[in-house]
Amino acid sequence: KAMCSGKLQTGLLVAGYFVYLLVGAAVFQALERAAEKQEKIAAAQMKEAFLQNFTHLTVAEMEQFMKNLTEAIQNGVYPVGSESQIEDSNWDFSNSFFFAGTVVSTIGYGTLHPKTAGGQIFCVFFALFGIPLNIVFLHRVGKMLSLLCKKLGKFLYEKGMRKKKIKFLTLLFFLAMGILVFLCLPSLFFQITEGWSYSEGIYFAFITLSTIGFGDYVVGKQRGRHYFSYYRMLVAIWILFGLAWIALLFNL
């Protein structure tokens, strides 16, 4: 019975956690999307005006243009290429979900951030309740992973192995499997999908899973590269399980 209620609790926790992220993503999208579109239109108009008069701009006007351009880029608006980019939103659902995940996991790349007052205040409350929820979730996933380790240990114990040796072997197995599943294979995947070098993939994976999150490398952000839909959602799920693995690794 305890096992059954434990499974139910885990199921409810996982469901609740994902619902929390999905609702958060929807709210961020609703609050931020329109403001971002305005910003993109303004940036496109600024570029247009610059292209029409750039032959006789004063130094002060040029400085102002550079300032505006820098500001736009810092806000995630790149006035490069054709008009179609106004339609591509940084706040589509996949991106918003990814953002919600980086908030509760405290990675905080800083490449996408709320700019409206509503979005910023919502972000504060979303993180306030989301970070503890994330810790509980990671703890529960970590427990599930450690149960697998225990099962392996029990199997080896029945085969007549000494306890100390078992502890060492399960830790080694856990470490090797984790490095393979969360660092080596994803890096290969990033190498193919993002066109990074393998070492850049390893660097990105580690900086992400350790929650340092510099934001110098972020998935799904390169202009002119075609990503499959829900790519970032898949990466967000990899991050969550990877975080649980790292947290448990430090515990072990």
Side-chain angles (χ1 to χ4, degrees):
K1 193 180 175 188
M3 186 77 180
C4 192
S5 74
K7 271 190 175 156
L8 184 69
Q9 271 180 344
T10 302
L12 284 172
L13 177 68
V14 171
Y17 181 75
F18 277 100
V19 166
Y20 188 80
L21 287 183
L22 290 168
V23 169
V27 175
F28 279 120
Q29 188 181 13
L31 291 170
E32 293 293 324
R33 202 169 187 166
E36 186 206 35
K37 192 164 184 180
Q38 289 312 113
E39 217 164 88
K40 285 194 163 176
I41 291 168
Q45 285 169 345
M46 176 189 83
K47 178 184 168 183
E48 203 51 49
F50 172 76
L51 290 177
Q52 277 165 4
N53 324 318
F54 74 92
T55 46
H56 42 249
L57 284 180
T58 64
V59 174
E61 283 170 331
M62 193 63 203
E63 287 291 318
Q64 187 58 46
F65 173 76
M66 296 303 274
K67 207 173 135 197
N68 293 346
L69 185 66
T70 309
E71 216 167 87
I73 290 168
Q74 281 171 344
N75 287 336
V77 177
Y78 299 89
V80 177
S82 63
E83 295 299 301
S84 69
Q85 288 203 337
I86 290 178
E87 292 313 310
D88 298 338
S89 176
N90 281 324
W91 291 100
D92 61 24
F93 197 75
S94 183
N95 282 337
S96 301
F97 183 83
F98 187 78
F99 172 73
T102 60
V103 169
V104 296
S105 58
T106 72
I107 296 170
Y109 289 121
T111 48
L112 189 60
H113 42 263
K115 297 170 203 83
T116 64
Q120 288 171 348
I121 296 301
F122 176 70
C123 190
V124 170
F125 286 102
F126 182 74
L128 206 58
F129 296 102
I131 292 168
L133 176 65
N134 183 61
I135 291 167
V136 172
F137 173 79
L138 292 182
H139 183 72
R140 185 53 66 101
V141 174
K143 247 187 177 161
M144 280 155 63
L145 289 174
S146 69
L147 278 176
L148 287 172
C149 270
K150 275 206 179 97
K151 272 186 181 158
L152 179 73
K154 208 174 159 192
F155 171 75
L156 292 174
Y157 187 67
E158 281 164 5
K159 288 272 179 275
M161 207 176 270
R162 291 205 323 280
K163 279 218 160 138
K164 260 190 177 157
K165 197 175 179 188
I166 289 172
K167 250 192 169 153
F168 173 72
L169 276 176
T170 49
L171 184 63
L172 195 69
F173 172 76
F174 187 73
L175 189 67
M177 283 307 288
I179 286 173
L180 185 70
V181 172
F182 294 112
L183 292 177
C184 299
L185 291 175
S187 302
L188 196 66
F189 175 66
F190 295 134
Q191 191 179 2
I192 296 161
T193 320
E194 296 286 346
W196 296 338
S197 69
Y198 191 70
S199 59
E200 284 173 323
I202 292 273
Y203 168 75
F204 165 75
F206 181 78
I207 294 297
T208 295
L209 295 184
S210 58
T211 73
I212 297 170
F214 288 130
D216 48 354
Y217 290 85
V218 181
V219 293
K221 291 302 275 181
Q222 295 184 62
R223 308 268 148 207
R225 267 195 105 84
H226 291 293
Y227 300 102
F228 59 90
S229 55
Y230 301 114
Y231 167 57
R232 296 191 90 185
M233 243 174 173
L234 199 70
V235 174
I237 290 163
W238 159 73
I239 290 172
L240 297 175
F241 284 97
L243 289 175
W245 170 68
I246 291 242
L248 186 62
L249 190 64
F250 291 148
N251 281 343
L252 286 174

